[in-house]
Amino acid sequence: MEFPPASSHRAPTTVRRNPPRRAKQTPLAAAPDPSSLSSAVDGITPFPLDEILQPDPPQIPPPVPKSPEPQSADSSENLKVFLRIRPLEIRPRPSRNPCGGKAKPRGKCASPKGGKNKNKSSCLAVNDSHSVTLSAQPSLLDLKRTKSEVYDGFSFVFPQDSLQQEVYDKVMNPLVLDFMGGKNALLVAMGPTGSGKTHTMFGCPRDPGMLPLALRQIFSHATGSGDPYSSSSYYLSMFEIYSERGKGERILDLSPNGIDLSLQQSTIKGLQEVMISNLAEAESLVTCGMLKRATAATNSNYQSSRSQCIINIRAARKSVDDEQHFPPNNAVLTIADLAGAERERKTGNQGARLLESNFINNTSMVFGLCLRSLLEHQKNPKKPLHKHFKNSLLTRYLKDYLEGKKHMTLILTVKPGEEDYADTSFLLRQASPYMKIKFNNLEELTNLHSQKRTTTSLIRMDHYKRMKFDNSETSLVDVGKVDTDANDENQMSKKEVNSQKLQESEIPQVLNISPKSRGGVHVGVQCNEEVHVELQKIKRNEEVMRNFAKALWNVLKQYKQKLEDSEREVGNMKEALRKEMAKVMELNKELKELRSCCSFHKHPSPEEIFSSEVDASYEYCAAGPSKSLSITDDFTNFDASLDDDTTPEIGDQLCIGMPAMVLAHEDFTGLPDFGLETDSSNSNQSETAKRDSSSPISFSVVDDRTICSSPKEMPTQQQEDKKKDKGFQEKDYRTGDKEQLKNIDVKEISSPESSADGAYADPLVNSKQTYLTVRHVKITLSSSNVQKALVEEKNACSSQVKYSDIVCSSLSVNKDAKTQAHQLLYHRPENFQGQKHDHEDLQGKEDRPTELSCKPGPEEMHSSPEIPPQIHEPIKEGKDILPSVSQQLQESDVQPVIDMKTSSKCQLTKNPKEVKRDSISKPKVAEKPKRRLMPASAMLLREFAGLDMEIDKPKESRGRLNADEKMRSDGSISLFHLLQSNLQH
Ligand SMILES: Nc1ncnc2c1ncn2[C@@H]1O[C@H](COP(=O)(O)OP(=O)(O)OP(=O)(O)O)[C@@H](O)[C@H]1O
C-alpha cells in the first residue's frame, strides 16, 4: 500500500464521535458519494429496520477528504506522533534466540489461535498517510447507530503491511541524524499489549526494528574517516523498570552483570554504559539485554513485556583531537519500549501477572497524564504543569521530555482487529491530542550556548596565550613592538586576566581533557545566525537583570541606612521624651507644691499670718466711705470681687483683695491709693483712713500679672543678685504724680518667664518684698473725672507699667477730673479724709458719704436707655476711650458703669498703639458679674480687725466701722507693724 510521502504531517483534526449513520443506499448508486455522505451526516435520517435485521458486512467508511499537507516548517516543533497498525493476520514465524539459543516463538504469530485470524475483519481503516478511521463492529452497538471515529493529524500512519525499514525511514532516521548531530532524541512506543511495540523497536534478526537499524546507521557512518560521525564513540546502556509482585518499582540494569539500580533525580546511579565500537557488539549487547528483560505469556501475547525497557545510546568524541576539531557531542538517543496496557478480561492475568498489569497500566496512565498536563499547560499557561512525573520511575527518568524541554517522538502501535476496537479507540483517543504538544528549543539553545561559551573560553584562552607568546617573542626580537604589546597587555585589566585564568582552569573540566593537550587549540565553530541572535538576546536580558538587581540592591541598602538613622532618631527622641517627662513630673510636683502653698495662703490661720515673715494675705480696706478696689487673680478663686449685688457705691469701702503671695506689709496700706479717694466729710472713717502717708509705697510689677511690693528701701545688691539668678529682669518705673507718686516705685519684670520661674512665688528672695499676682483689677470709682484722671495717668504711665486688667466698674463725673484722678489713684488713705466730693449733686444722693459713686450698677447700665450708644461703640485707642467716655458721661450727666476688662497687654502697655480696640470697645456691662467669694484676706482682716465685708452690710452702713471693729482693725494694724519690724530685723 502506497502513501504519499510524509514530508510533513497535517494539523490534527477533530475526532467526531458517533457520527450519524449513512443514508440508505439507493439501488442506482453504485458507490457512496462523499457529498451524499456529508449531507447524510448533517441530516437526520431514520435508521431502517430491515437494515438492522439484515445487516451488511461492516464497511469501511468512505475516506474523508484529504486534509491539507501538514506544515513542514513547524512540524519540528510539534510532538511527532506516528501510528503503526499491526498486521491483522500474523503468520507464525520462528524466532531465533539472538544469543544463539534455541529458536523461540514470539507473539501471537506463534500462538495456536493465530489461524483463527484469517477471517477477521479490521476495525481500523487508513484514510491516508495521516488519518485513520476507527469503526466499531455493528454487533457491538446498540443496533441503531454505526460508530466510527476519524483520527487525523498523525505524522505518518503505517498500515498493516508496512515494513520495518519504512518505519525506520520515517521515524527513526531523523532521530538518529539529530542524535549524531548532537541532539538528544527519544522514541517512545505506546500501545496495547501485543500491538507490536517490541516488534517495532527491536524486531527480530530477520526483520530488525528501530534500534538495530539505528545501530546499523550509526556504525555505517562510523566506519568512515575524517567525518564527525567516525570521530565519536558510542556507549549503550539498557535498563528496565519493573514491579515484582506489586512491591513497588525497581530498576534493573539489562547490561551484562547488571544489577538493581536506583534513580536519583533523573539519573540512574550505577547504570553501566558499555562502549560499543561496532554493530556486532551493539546487537549482541541488545540481544542479551532483551533476554534479561522480564517477559511473560499472557492471553494477548505469548511473550508479553512485563516492564518498561529503556535503551540509551550516548555519543562521545573519541579523542581530544576529535573534541578540538568537531563540536562536542554528548547527545543521547533513547528508545523506550513501554509495556502495553492490558485489560484483565482479555489477558486473563491473575496473581503476579495481575499485579504486573496494575503496574504497567499505572505507568502508562502516568505517562499519559504527564503529556496531557503538558498539553494543557501549553494551551493555557495559567494552568500549572502538574508534577505527574513524580508518580512513576519511568516518568521521573523522562522528566525533561515530559516537560517539553527535550524533543520526543511517539509511535503508537495498534491492533486492527475488531476485538481490539476498545484498546485501539482508547489509545487513539488518549494519544491523538499529543500531536498538539510543542517543544521549545531550549535544549538546543542550552547546548549551543554551552558550546558557544566553551568556544569563547577557548578563543580567549588562545588569544591570551598568543599574547603571552607574542610578548615573549617580541621581547627578544623587536623592542618597539614590545611596547605595543606591553601596552596591549597592560590594557587588559587584571580582572580579565584572572578571569581568563579561571576559565583556563575550567576548560579541562568542561572538555574533559588533560591540561597538557590544551596547547594549540583552534576553534573554528561557526554559530548559526539565529542562534547567535538568540544568544545576544539572552545575554542582554542577563545584563538587564543584573543591572536591575544591582540597582535594587543599592536601593535596599539606602533604605536600610535610612531605617537605621530613623531608629537612631527615634531612640534619641525617646530619650528626650523621657527627660521631658521627668521635667514635666518635676514641674507638676512644683505646681502641686505651689498650689498647696497657695491653698495655704488662701486659708492661713491667724498664727500663720503673724508668724510668717514672708507670707500673708493682704487686704486693704480703705478707710472711709469708698468703693472697693479689688485686685483679683483669675487662678485663685478665693479672691473676691464685687458682683452685681455688691456693686460699690459711694460710701462703700474699697478693698483690695490680695491673692496669694502677698506679704502682709504695712506699706501696702498705701496700695489703694491707686484710685481711691475718700470723702473727707465722712468723719466716721477719718480715723481708719489715717494711714501713714509718709510711708512710701513701693511695689513692683514682676510681669504683667505680678506686682512686687517692697518696703521703703530698695532691695540690697545681694537680693538683686539673687533675683537675677532667679531670672528676674527688672525695670524700674517711677509712676505717679510729681508729688504723690514720688514715693511709689513700680518695677516691671519684662520677662514673662520670670513669673513662671517662681519669682513671685518665692518670697524668700527678699523677705521685705511681696510679689503680687494680678490678673484682674477692678477699680470702682465714683466720678467721671476720676475715670478721666485714671486714663490720663495710665496713659502717662503706659510706657512704664503693665497692668493686666483694669475694670472700671463705676464712674461718676467730677469737675476736677485730674485732681480727682490723682487723688483717686495715688492718694494715701489719709487723703480720703476731709475731701469734699461735689458730685453728690449730680448723684442726687446726699446721704452718700463719699463722692465715689457706682450707681447705676453694671446691669442697670447695660439696660439703661439713657446710656449713649457711643459708649458701646468701638474705640480706636485705649488712651482715647476713657476721656471720651468720660466726656460723654459728662455731657449726658449720667453715671455709667464701664467694665473694661481687657487682656493684660491691651491696656497700659508701653506702646499705647498695642491697645486692642475691641477689648475696650466692648464694655462688659452686658455680662452679669459673677458673685465671687470673699477674699481670704478680707476674711482674715475681718476676723482680726473686726471689719465686716462691706458687701454683707446694707449700703447705707457700708464703710462705717463700729467701735469694736475699729479697735480690732487698729489692733491688727499694730500687729502688722510689729510683724514688719520683726521681718526687717
Ligand atoms: N508489524 C508487524 N509485523 C509482523 N509481526 C508483528 C508486527 N507487529 C507485531 N508483530 C508480532 O506480534 C506479536 C506481538 O508483538 P509484540 O510482542 O511486539 O507486542 P507488544 O506490543 O510488545 O506486546 P507487549 O506490550 O505485551 O510486550 C509478536 O509476535 C510480533 O512478532
Side-chain angles (χ1 to χ4, degrees):
M1 187 173 181
E2 292 290 332
F3 289 104
S7 58
S8 59
H9 70 83
R10 69 189 68 183
T13 58
T14 305
V15 176
R16 295 184 300 169
R17 305 179 189 282
N18 299 328
R21 61 178 175 79
R22 291 177 300 159
K24 186 178 179 182
Q25 285 184 347
T26 56
L28 297 177
D33 188 6
S35 58
S36 64
L37 175 64
S38 61
S39 63
V41 166
D42 297 333
I44 301 176
T45 307
F47 196 82
L49 188 59
D50 53 349
E51 193 174 335
I52 299 171
L53 297 176
Q54 297 176 356
D56 295 333
Q59 298 180 7
I60 297 174
V64 295
K66 280 190 177 181
S67 57
E69 287 295 319
Q71 65 281 8
S72 58
D74 298 335
S75 59
S76 60
E77 296 295 325
N78 283 69
L79 172 64
K80 289 183 178 178
V81 179
F82 296 91
L83 176 63
R84 187 179 191 189
I85 304 172
R86 199 199 73 167
L88 191 60
E89 294 181 5
I90 300 174
R91 287 175 298 177
R93 53 190 177 190
S95 175
R96 282 195 310 164
N97 191 333
C99 296
K102 192 177 178 180
K104 184 181 176 182
R106 277 184 56 89
K108 286 182 180 179
C109 58
S111 70
K113 296 179 182 177
K116 296 181 181 178
N117 295 333
K118 277 185 179 179
N119 298 324
K120 279 189 177 178
S121 60
S122 173
C123 66
L124 191 64
V126 177
N127 301 326
D128 57 23
S129 57
H130 305 287
S131 67
V132 293
T133 299
L134 181 67
S135 300
Q137 209 175 17
S139 59
L140 300 177
L141 297 176
D142 56 357
L143 302 179
K144 287 185 178 179
R145 304 174 70 125
T146 301
K147 186 176 183 180
S148 62
E149 302 166 359
V150 176
Y151 297 95
D152 198 1
F154 294 102
S155 296
F156 200 86
V157 176
F158 299 99
Q160 299 180 24
D161 56 352
S162 60
L163 302 176
Q164 295 277 55
Q165 187 62 41
E166 294 173 354
V167 177
Y168 179 83
D169 292 341
K170 296 284 190 304
V171 179
M172 197 64 193
N173 188 48
L175 299 181
V176 173
L177 292 177
D178 287 345
F179 161 70
M180 298 182 73
K183 288 184 181 179
N184 296 320
L186 169 65
L187 176 64
V188 178
M190 287 180 66
T193 180
S195 60
K197 298 183 292 295
T198 307
H199 175 78
T200 302
M201 288 299 193
F202 298 96
C204 60
R206 292 176 56 184
D207 195 8
M210 303 300 108
L211 178 60
L213 294 176
L215 289 172
R216 288 181 187 179
Q217 182 178 358
I218 290 171
F219 286 105
S220 64
H221 285 285
T223 53
S225 60
D227 58 354
Y229 304 117
S230 61
S231 62
S232 297
S233 299
Y234 298 96
Y235 300 86
L236 190 140
S237 60
M238 291 180 67
F239 65 94
E240 67 172 350
I241 301 171
Y242 69 101
S243 175
E244 196 174 41
R245 298 182 180 180
K247 294 180 180 177
E249 295 177 303
R250 303 175 71 175
I251 300 174
L252 177 65
D253 190 352
L254 295 179
S255 61
N257 306 321
I259 56 173
D260 278 350
L261 305 173
S262 63
L263 182 69
Q264 293 183 0
Q265 303 292 330
S266 295
T267 307
I268 297 177
K269 293 291 180 182
L271 180 64
Q272 291 185 20
E273 275 190 333
V274 181
M275 184 176 176
I276 47 178
S277 53
N278 53 54
L279 179 61
E281 286 181 14
E283 286 182 342
S284 174
L285 197 65
V286 169
T287 305
C288 289
M290 290 300 294
L291 290 175
K292 287 183 69 176
R293 186 182 180 188
T295 58
T298 64
N299 291 343
S300 300
N301 191 351
Y302 178 76
Q303 195 173 7
S304 175
S305 305
R306 313 311 295 168
S307 64
Q308 329 289 350
C309 180
I310 296 169
I311 299 100
N312 290 322
I313 303 172
R314 186 176 67 84
R317 294 296 175 202
K318 282 182 178 177
S319 63
V320 178
D321 290 341
D322 292 332
E323 292 280 0
Q324 295 166 357
H325 287 87
F326 303 105
N329 183 5
N330 293 317
V332 177
L333 176 63
T334 304
I335 294 172
D337 177 23
L338 306 186
E342 298 175 344
R343 291 177 183 268
E344 180 186 353
R345 185 164 51 88
K346 288 182 70 175
T347 59
N349 289 338
Q350 290 181 348
R353 295 286 89 78
L354 188 60
L355 294 175
E356 289 171 356
S357 293
N358 293 337
F359 155 72
I360 292 168
N361 292 338
N362 179 62
T363 304
S364 299
M365 182 188 69
V366 173
F367 187 83
L369 283 175
C370 291
L371 289 176
R372 187 82 187 183
S373 177
L374 175 62
L375 174 64
E376 295 194 353
H377 175 68
Q378 288 180 349
K379 281 183 180 176
N380 184 9
K382 291 180 180 177
K383 288 187 177 180
L385 182 60
H386 296 289
K387 310 281 185 185
H388 295 299
F389 66 88
K390 292 182 176 178
N391 296 325
S392 75
L393 289 179
L394 173 73
T395 50
R396 283 170 62 184
Y397 180 75
L398 301 175
K399 173 176 172 290
D400 289 345
Y401 295 97
L402 297 174
E403 288 185 343
K405 297 176 183 175
K406 293 180 179 178
H407 280 274
M408 178 174 62
T409 300
L410 277 181
I411 181 167
L412 310 177
T413 58
V414 293
K415 290 187 291 185
E418 291 179 349
E419 70 278 11
D420 301 316
Y421 170 82
D423 293 337
T424 305
S425 175
F426 177 80
L427 176 68
L428 293 178
R429 245 182 283 157
Q430 176 193 14
S432 57
Y434 301 158
M435 305 172 203
K436 301 172 186 174
I437 291 176
K438 290 183 178 297
F439 293 106
N440 53 37
N441 54 354
L442 280 177
E443 181 198 6
E444 286 77 10
L445 286 175
T446 306
N447 290 338
L448 289 173
H449 182 64
S450 63
Q451 293 173 13
K452 169 84 174 175
R453 191 170 55 186
T454 307
T455 302
T456 308
S457 303
L458 291 171
I459 290 172
R460 285 186 181 178
M461 183 190 70
D462 190 47
H463 175 65
Y464 179 58
K465 284 190 170 183
R466 260 190 281 131
M467 288 181 65
K468 286 174 68 176
F469 175 74
D470 290 342
N471 283 335
S472 60
E473 194 176 52
T474 52
S475 63
L476 299 175
V477 179
D478 189 352
V479 179
K481 200 174 182 182
V482 167
D483 295 337
T484 308
D485 292 337
N487 290 334
D488 291 339
E489 189 174 14
N490 291 333
Q491 287 173 2
M492 291 179 62
S493 64
K494 212 169 186 176
K495 191 176 175 181
E496 192 176 357
V497 173
N498 291 335
S499 69
Q500 286 178 351
K501 285 181 180 177
L502 185 64
Q503 291 168 358
E504 188 177 353
S505 64
E506 291 174 355
I507 287 168
Q509 301 172 9
V510 174
L511 301 181
N512 196 19
I513 57 177
S514 63
K516 290 180 180 178
S517 60
R518 279 184 276 134
V521 175
H522 176 71
V523 179
V525 180
Q526 293 181 351
C527 294
N528 191 320
E529 190 64 30
E530 292 181 4
V531 174
H532 183 71
V533 171
E534 288 295 325
L535 287 174
Q536 290 296 326
K537 280 184 183 176
I538 293 172
K539 226 175 177 179
R540 206 178 307 125
N541 290 338
E542 284 179 1
E543 189 69 24
V544 169
M545 292 306 294
R546 197 180 300 116
N547 292 334
F548 177 74
K550 283 181 183 176
L552 191 63
W553 180 254
N554 290 332
V555 170
L556 289 175
K557 274 168 62 177
Q558 290 176 2
Y559 272 109
K560 186 185 176 187
Q561 185 69 27
K562 284 184 180 178
L563 191 63
E564 290 175 354
D565 294 343
S566 299
E567 285 178 352
R568 273 196 295 273
E569 280 186 18
V570 167
N572 295 336
M573 291 184 74
K574 279 183 179 176
E575 187 64 26
L577 187 63
R578 265 196 297 272
K579 290 179 181 176
E580 292 297 325
M581 290 296 291
K583 284 183 182 176
V584 167
M585 294 287 288
E586 290 179 4
L587 289 174
N588 282 336
K589 199 174 175 183
E590 286 183 17
L591 182 62
K592 204 171 181 183
E593 290 175 358
L594 285 173
R595 281 180 177 169
S596 63
C597 187
C598 288
S599 64
F600 169 75
H601 292 304
K602 287 175 188 175
H603 307 288
S605 64
E607 292 78 13
E608 289 170 342
I609 292 176
F610 294 103
S611 61
S612 171
E613 58 179 5
V614 296
D615 193 10
S617 294
Y618 175 82
E619 176 177 315
Y620 176 80
C621 295
S626 61
K627 299 302 289 184
S628 296
L629 175 65
S630 291
I631 302 174
T632 62
D633 189 346
D634 285 345
F635 58 85
T636 57
N637 57 4
F638 63 88
D639 206 3
S641 177
L642 300 178
D643 57 14
D644 52 347
D645 294 332
T646 58
T647 302
E649 296 177 354
I650 295 176
D652 290 347
Q653 188 178 31
L654 290 178
C655 295
I656 300 175
M658 295 295 176
M661 310 301 169
V662 179
L663 176 66
H665 195 280
E666 189 182 17
D667 294 332
F668 277 97
T669 54
L671 198 58
D673 287 347
F674 268 117
L676 298 179
E677 188 173 2
T678 57
D679 189 354
S680 59
S681 63
N682 190 349
S683 58
N684 295 332
Q685 307 299 325
S686 59
E687 290 183 12
T688 308
K690 282 185 178 178
R691 298 282 180 172
D692 185 10
S693 60
S694 61
S695 176
I697 298 175
S698 176
F699 60 94
S700 298
V701 178
V702 177
D703 59 8
D704 56 353
R705 295 175 181 273
T706 306
I707 293 176
C708 174
S709 175
S710 65
K712 300 171 186 178
E713 62 273 11
M714 295 298 290
T716 63
Q717 185 61 36
Q718 185 180 359
Q719 292 165 345
E720 288 289 337
D721 296 337
K722 206 169 181 180
K723 281 198 292 182
K724 285 177 182 175
D725 291 340
K726 290 273 183 181
F728 281 88
Q729 290 182 359
E730 296 188 358
K731 295 178 182 178
D732 295 341
Y733 297 100
R734 295 283 173 178
T735 61
D737 186 69
K738 300 296 184 294
E739 298 176 355
Q740 301 291 339
L741 302 180
K742 59 185 178 183
N743 293 324
I744 297 177
D745 182 18
V746 178
K747 298 180 181 178
E748 177 188 357
I749 303 301
S750 59
S751 172
E753 288 83 9
S754 59
S755 60
D757 201 20
Y760 64 85
D762 188 4
L764 292 175
V765 174
N766 185 356
S767 61
K768 301 293 179 61
Q769 286 196 344
T770 299
Y771 301 92
L772 172 62
T773 299
V774 178
R775 289 291 178 91
H776 186 196
V777 177
K778 278 191 176 180
I779 301 174
T780 304
L781 301 176
S782 59
S783 68
S784 60
N785 57 348
V786 174
Q787 167 62 29
K788 190 175 179 182
L790 267 173
V791 171
E792 290 177 0
E793 289 301 326
K794 286 169 186 172
N795 289 337
C797 302
S798 61
S799 61
Q800 297 176 335
V801 184
K802 287 184 180 178
Y803 294 95
S804 60
D805 300 320
I806 292 179
V807 177
C808 182
S809 307
S810 174
L811 290 176
S812 62
V813 180
N814 194 330
K815 293 178 182 177
D816 191 2
K818 182 157 186 168
T819 307
Q820 295 292 339
H822 277 279
Q823 290 174 351
L824 282 170
L825 280 172
Y826 306 112
H827 276 190
R828 315 294 295 168
E830 62 271 16
N831 293 334
F832 296 174
Q833 300 179 7
Q835 292 193 8
K836 195 79 177 179
H837 298 277
D838 53 357
H839 72 285
E840 290 179 358
D841 298 337
L842 298 173
Q843 298 290 329
K845 294 185 178 179
E846 298 178 358
D847 54 340
R848 299 292 176 117
T850 173
E851 62 184 13
L852 293 178
S853 174
C854 60
K855 184 179 180 182
E859 283 185 337
E860 297 168 356
M861 182 62 204
H862 179 64
S863 59
S864 173
E866 298 175 357
I867 298 175
Q870 290 82 350
I871 294 177
H872 302 283
E873 289 179 2
I875 300 172
K876 292 181 180 179
E877 298 291 341
K879 64 181 181 180
D880 298 333
I881 172 61
L882 293 177
S884 62
V885 171
S886 177
Q887 189 175 0
Q888 290 285 344
L889 291 173
Q890 288 178 359
E891 291 173 1
S892 60
D893 196 17
V894 294
Q895 299 177 2
V897 175
I898 300 175
D899 187 4
M900 296 184 300
K901 184 174 182 180
T902 61
S903 61
S904 60
K905 293 185 179 179
C906 290
Q907 274 191 321
L908 301 179
T909 57
K910 290 181 180 180
N911 184 6
K913 291 182 180 178
E914 295 176 3
V915 177
K916 291 184 179 178
R917 173 191 304 174
D918 54 352
S919 61
I920 300 177
S921 62
K922 295 178 181 176
K924 298 297 181 181
V925 293
E927 294 180 5
K928 184 178 181 180
K930 295 178 182 176
R931 184 177 184 85
R932 301 189 179 181
L933 295 175
M934 180 186 293
S937 54
M939 296 173 65
L940 286 170
L941 192 60
R942 186 176 62 177
E943 181 69 23
F944 290 95
L947 294 174
D948 292 327
M949 286 297 294
E950 299 299 311
I951 54 176
D952 297 330
K953 293 183 178 181
K955 292 183 179 180
E956 293 76 13
S957 60
R958 287 180 184 175
R960 299 184 179 89
L961 299 176
N962 55 31
D964 292 337
E965 290 170 343
K966 202 167 69 174
M967 194 182 335
R968 278 192 288 175
S969 177
D970 291 338
S972 62
I973 290 171
S974 348
L975 202 55
F976 280 123
H977 279 284
L978 183 61
L979 176 63
Q980 181 194 8
S981 58
N982 290 335
L983 292 173
Q984 288 175 351
H985 294 296

